[in-house]
Amino acid sequence: MNSRKVVQLFFTTLLIGSISGAIVGFIFDYDILTSGSFANFIVGIIWLLGMSAAFTLISQMGFFAYLTVHRFGLGLFKSQKLWNYVQIVIVAFVIFDLIYLRYIAFAEPGVTIFSYMIMPLLLLAYGLLIAFLKAKDTNKGAFIPALFFIVVVTTIEWVPALTVNDTKWLWLYFTPLIVGNTWQLLILHRLAREPKN
């Protein structure tokens, strides 16, 4: 992949992630953005785009970090099969932590753990879907790394919002991350396959 394609990946990810985050932010802040002047609306949208762009940059750093970690893991375990098992264990551990640690940190008296299971299980289901699409487009060996990236790397990038436990910030932070991560994962092999100009 040449430098032009890397730049293309960077800017398309930044654009898609920023817009997706701004849309979610607009939904949460609809009353605030539409109740004031037109200038208030414009400044609010610019602020949402800027915040979402920052979160999208985090997703890009996470993507390139994972590409390095993946190569390191393959070299360390000397076998893709063994490295895949390690990744599956880490995915299970992260899903458990997303449920249990958030429950013990934020649950109010009378709230069951089941309400804290919804978000992690939806993330897992989404990760399985994206991993299936990645494997279908490339090869079966891409399934576990794709699942690991969507679940584990997205969760690591999402930690600052998870510790706040505010619904608006959870979604405002999560949307550019998941959109950026999904886009990068599903477009990389297409860019790499394109003939050089």
Side-chain angles (χ1 to χ4, degrees), residues 23-62:
I23 290 169
V24 169
F26 178 78
I27 292 167
F28 275 102
D29 289 338
Y30 177 80
D31 292 335
I32 297 169
L33 291 170
T34 56
S35 62
S37 65
F38 184 70
N40 175 66
F41 175 79
I42 295 298
V43 170
I45 293 297
I46 292 170
W47 182 83
L48 287 171
L49 285 168
M51 290 296 294
S52 300
F55 301 147
T56 305
L57 289 173
I58 293 170
S59 88
Q60 292 178 313
M61 288 187 291

Side-chain angles (χ1 to χ4, degrees), residues 19 48 92 133 141:
I19 292 171
L48 287 171
L133 294 174

Side-chain angles (χ1 to χ4, degrees), residues 167-179:
T167 304
K168 174 188 165 183
W169 279 102
L170 281 173
W171 284 105
L172 186 59
Y173 207 120
F174 179 73
T175 305
L177 291 178
I178 198 70
V179 169

Side-chain angles (χ1 to χ4, degrees), residues 90-100 120-121 123-124 151 155:
I90 296 171
V91 167
F93 183 75
V94 165
I95 293 296
F96 173 79
D97 281 353
L98 267 177
I99 296 168
Y100 184 70
L121 293 179
L123 177 60
L124 178 61
V151 174
T155 301

